[in-house]
Amino acid sequence: MSNAKEIKNRIGSVTDTQKITNAMYLIASTKLRKARTDMTNTSPYFETLKGEIERIFRSIDHIDSDFFLPEGLDDSRENFSKPGKYAILVITADKGLAGSYNQSVIKETLKLLERHQDCELFVVGEYGRNYFESHGYPISKSFLYTAQNPNMDRAREISNLLVETYLSRYFKKVYLVYTDFGNGLNPTAQLSRLLPLHRSHFETDVVDKGDDFEYFPSKKEVLENLIPNYITGYIYSALVDSYCSEQNARMMAMDRATQNAQDILDRLSLEYNHVRQGAITQEIIEVSAGAKSLKLAKAKNRN
């Protein structure tokens, strides 16, 4: 059993760790609130943009665009065995200490890499960059800004690169792997196809045909200009969702770490009290034994 001094030093060390984990919890919660506010402020624009794309599709029966799968092609099932080069945009964090957040994204990416060999990686986040480089996966483009500050300019930069490369027919498909924050209760890593799109993504049950609108110079050209902005919005949403999920995962990890530290402190305090009480008891025994010996010695001297 450790002595009282060792236990006291251990208590001090665990207390310092607990202060750090609690501070990281508070920082993550503050960042999460800010990111959710930014998302709330920008989402109305992109919801309106998606609504306008829906309106165009309600007014036409056929569209021939590089941004969309050919008419009549079933989009209900992905076929990763089809030939062609795929682009994968992977969004991870810059660091760990966030539970399984990073590993879930990487695991989802590896599944696609196993199913389709001809892929090129585009990575946001230092954790993902380090993982794929250390495991021998070539990275075509590493966006060397932090994943801690998602903004529209960065989303537009990523979108422009992927869209231009896709339209040059270098890539057959473009995928996105990120963590969907959802309602915050159970963020999950997911794989989404960015390009090509399918008109079913925009179809609704609304009967309105949109005949009250005139599109200039044509519906197709308006659609061709809307889609890149829609892709930018989708990527920005994914960046913010991932960032929120990271902070949420870090909050939960730090909360568990803080609680675990408290459990250790409770156990160490109990052990310290036992050791201290044992030391006190031992001192009392020694004093009593000394007094008894002294009493016996005096009695012997009298005799």
Side-chain angles (χ1 to χ4, degrees):
M1 181 180 289
S2 302
N3 59 42
K5 183 177 180 181
E6 291 175 345
I7 297 174
K8 201 168 184 179
N9 290 338
R10 180 92 188 279
I11 289 175
S13 176
V14 174
T15 301
D16 291 340
T17 302
Q18 187 183 46
K19 291 178 181 178
I20 295 172
T21 57
N22 189 55
M24 292 182 69
Y25 172 86
L26 296 175
I27 292 171
S29 63
T30 301
K31 290 181 176 180
L32 175 60
R33 285 195 298 270
K34 181 180 182 301
R36 296 187 73 172
T37 300
D38 292 342
M39 187 66 182
T40 302
N41 292 337
T42 56
S43 59
Y45 169 76
F46 293 105
E47 289 299 322
T48 302
L49 187 65
K50 183 178 180 181
E52 291 306 313
I53 297 174
E54 291 174 359
R55 187 185 299 277
I56 293 175
F57 275 114
R58 291 199 301 268
S59 65
I60 55 177
D61 296 324
H62 176 77
I63 185 69
D64 182 18
S65 170
D66 290 335
F67 287 115
F68 290 86
L69 287 169
E71 294 288 339
L73 187 63
D74 183 19
D75 188 50
S76 61
R77 183 179 302 173
E78 288 283 8
N79 188 347
F80 297 108
S81 63
K82 288 184 178 180
K85 189 177 287 292
Y86 292 178
I88 311 175
L89 174 62
V90 185
I91 302 176
T92 67
D94 290 324
K95 54 187 177 182
L97 299 177
S100 61
Y101 167 77
N102 289 300
Q103 287 301 321
S104 296
V105 174
I106 289 173
K107 186 183 298 184
E108 200 66 35
T109 305
L110 293 177
K111 289 180 183 178
L112 179 53
L113 290 172
E114 290 173 0
R115 287 178 287 182
H116 191 85
Q117 301 299 320
D118 197 3
C119 295
E120 292 192 11
L121 292 172
F122 296 78
V123 182
V124 176
E126 190 64 30
Y127 192 99
R129 286 194 288 269
N130 291 337
Y131 177 88
F132 290 114
E133 287 176 352
S134 63
H135 287 76
Y137 293 95
I139 298 176
S140 295
K141 173 68 176 178
S142 185
F143 300 98
L144 298 177
Y145 41 69
T146 176
Q148 298 293 307
N149 185 26
N151 58 55
M152 193 59 63
D153 290 336
R154 292 172 177 177
R156 189 171 291 109
E157 177 190 347
I158 297 171
S159 174
N160 289 343
L161 174 62
L162 293 176
V163 169
E164 288 174 7
T165 313
Y166 170 78
L167 291 177
S168 70
R169 303 187 183 279
Y170 182 74
F171 292 124
K172 188 177 183 65
K173 293 181 181 180
V174 179
Y175 286 92
L176 169 65
V177 184
Y178 73 106
T179 306
D180 184 17
F181 185 66
N183 58 9
L185 297 177
N186 187 28
T188 54
Q190 68 177 36
L191 171 70
S192 299
R193 193 184 68 221
L194 274 178
L195 291 167
L197 297 166
H198 192 272
R199 68 177 297 157
S200 62
H201 299 165
F202 303 95
E203 289 179 345
T204 63
D205 296 331
V206 178
V207 180
D208 173 32
K209 291 294 184 180
D211 295 331
D212 295 336
F213 291 83
E214 181 179 351
Y215 297 92
F216 182 83
S218 68
K219 293 176 181 177
K220 178 181 177 180
E221 291 191 45
V222 171
L223 190 63
E224 295 279 324
N225 282 280
L226 288 177
I227 293 302
N229 289 325
Y230 171 77
I231 297 296
T232 298
Y234 197 102
I235 292 175
Y236 174 71
S237 175
L239 288 171
V240 176
D241 265 347
S242 295
Y243 181 63
C244 288
S245 300
E246 175 196 349
Q247 300 308 322
N248 185 68
R250 183 163 291 114
M251 281 175 57
M252 291 189 294
M254 292 302 103
D255 185 54
R256 287 193 295 267
T258 301
Q259 185 57 52
N260 289 339
Q262 187 59 50
D263 292 341
I264 294 173
L265 286 174
D266 292 342
R267 188 174 68 251
L268 288 174
S269 295
L270 184 62
E271 184 179 349
Y272 177 76
N273 290 334
H274 284 167
V275 171
R276 187 178 63 174
Q277 189 61 46
I280 293 173
T281 303
Q282 182 65 30
E283 289 178 3
I284 293 174
I285 292 173
E286 291 175 355
V287 169
S288 298
K292 186 175 182 179
S293 297
L294 184 60
K295 185 177 180 180
L296 291 174
K298 286 181 178 180
K300 186 176 180 180
N301 290 335
R302 290 196 203 101
N303 297 329

